[in-house]
Amino acid sequence: MKRKWFQASACCVLLFALAGCGKTVEEQIDTGVASAQTVFEETPQHPNQTIGKIKLYVPSGFAVEETEDLNNLILKKGNESYLLFVNYYEMEDSNLHYKLLKNNPSSKIIKEQTVEFDGAFGFTAVTEYDEEQFELIVSSGGVKMSTISEDQNIDEKLVDMMTIVRSVDIVKENN
């Protein structure tokens, strides 16, 4: 009896492990890049936090850490850190971050996708960081977000990142 219970338990564990494997890294990247483009073209989420001059939507599970640099915020979700950079002087149609990526000879771009929609320019890119990690980058105009990630949930991370980036609004000072 114990042996049959053990075999049944082992089968359940094996099935659960195989089901968790899901998509390959390539599939996650392809899905994530395509989904991020869709998010870019949708109506941005309404900001739910204001940090300094930056209004942004922070999805559930994320926490924002202010930094001394007014152009950078660190967002955390679990043990993952995301760097949000806001260039106040770049317009929505700016492709500065994309040009910097493309002109960096050390960038090992695995996949990239640019998008122009309603006067705004953006892109999603995945680069090889090292043998086991990837740098995920999304940008909209002068706003860019990046993180270093292993091969898990890349598609979901890119969607969350683009959702955040597209929501960023700069608080205008009243004179």
Side-chain angles (χ1 to χ4, degrees):
M1 182 76 162
K2 286 183 181 180
R3 186 175 183 185
K4 286 188 178 191
W5 183 85
F6 178 76
Q7 288 175 337
S9 296
C11 287
C12 288
V13 169
L14 181 60
L15 286 173
F16 182 76
L18 290 174
C21 293
K23 301 177 196 169
T24 67
V25 172
E26 292 79 14
E27 290 172 327
Q28 290 180 56
I29 291 171
D30 289 344
T31 301
V33 169
S35 297
Q37 179 175 348
T38 301
V39 169
F40 187 93
E41 295 173 347
E42 293 174 345
T43 302
Q45 288 286 333
H46 184 72
N48 59 4
Q49 288 196 28
T50 302
I51 293 94
K53 293 183 177 183
I54 302 170
K55 287 183 178 182
L56 72 157
Y57 172 76
V58 179
S60 177
F62 280 83
V64 180
E65 293 183 8
E66 292 184 52
T67 64
E68 291 186 24
D69 182 348
L70 299 176
N71 293 358
N72 292 306
L73 296 176
I74 297 171
L75 284 85
K76 292 199 173 247
K77 183 175 183 182
N79 61 354
E80 300 269 344
S81 294
Y82 299 79
L83 178 61
L84 179 70
F85 174 75
V86 179
N87 184 332
Y88 297 100
Y89 303 106
E90 293 296 318
M91 305 304 290
E92 274 193 289
D93 63 349
S94 172
N95 63 1
L96 174 67
H97 295 299
Y98 183 68
K99 286 181 182 177
L100 292 172
L101 173 70
K102 294 296 284 183
N103 291 329
N104 182 349
S106 65
S107 289
K108 296 177 185 170
I109 299 171
I110 295 171
K111 184 160 182 103
E112 64 176 285
Q113 177 68 51
T114 62
V115 60
E116 293 181 58
F117 181 76
D118 202 22
F121 175 86
F123 74 93
T124 305
V126 177
T127 65
E128 183 179 308
Y129 185 74
D130 63 29
E131 289 182 18
E132 296 180 12
Q133 295 180 314
F134 305 92
E135 181 177 19
L136 312 180
I137 306 164
V138 300
S139 178
S140 176
V143 181
K144 177 180 122 177
M145 185 175 228
S146 63
T147 190
I148 304 301
S149 179
E150 294 183 355
D151 61 355
Q152 299 171 352
N153 305 318
I154 290 172
D155 47 353
E156 295 170 19
K157 291 173 187 175
L158 288 170
V159 167
D160 284 342
M161 292 168 65
M162 187 61 83
T163 300
I164 294 166
V165 164
R166 287 294 287 162
S167 75
V168 170
D169 190 21
I170 309 302
V171 177
K172 306 283 191 253
E173 291 185 29
N174 296 329
N175 292 336

